[in-house]
Amino acid sequence: MYEMRIGTAATGSGLVWHVVGRDRSSALCGQSLREECDETDLHCLPCMSRFQELMRQPGAA
C-alpha cells in the first residue's frame, strides 16, 4: 500500500503531497519528506505520474 506525505516540490517552490515509496525513506520522485504536518492542496506531478505507472503494472497495489 502507498501513502501520501508532504514534502518540498521538485521545483523547490513550496510544499506538495508526495506518494511515499515502499521503502518509506523518500517519495516516488526522489524528494525527501517532511516530518512536521504542514497543509497543502497541491500534489507532486512526478510522484502522481510514477504512481499511475506502478498501478498499471500487473499485480500492483
Side-chain angles (χ1 to χ4, degrees):
M1 178 173 348
Y2 292 90
E3 64 182 73
M4 305 285 290
R5 292 217 359 236
I6 292 176
T8 304
T11 59
S13 60
L15 299 175
V16 295
W17 284 101
H18 290 278
V19 179
V20 179
R22 290 183 185 237
D23 65 359
R24 304 271 192 246
S25 64
S26 64
L28 292 181
C29 68
Q31 288 293 106
S32 58
L33 302 165
R34 298 176 78 128
E35 292 301 321
E36 62 267 12
C37 185
D38 294 319
E39 292 187 27
T40 183
D41 290 332
L42 304 174
H43 291 78
C44 173
L45 293 180
C47 274
M48 298 309 288
S49 295
R50 179 67 182 128
F51 181 65
Q52 185 177 36
E53 291 172 16
L54 290 169
M55 291 295 102
R56 287 185 179 148
Q57 294 176 359

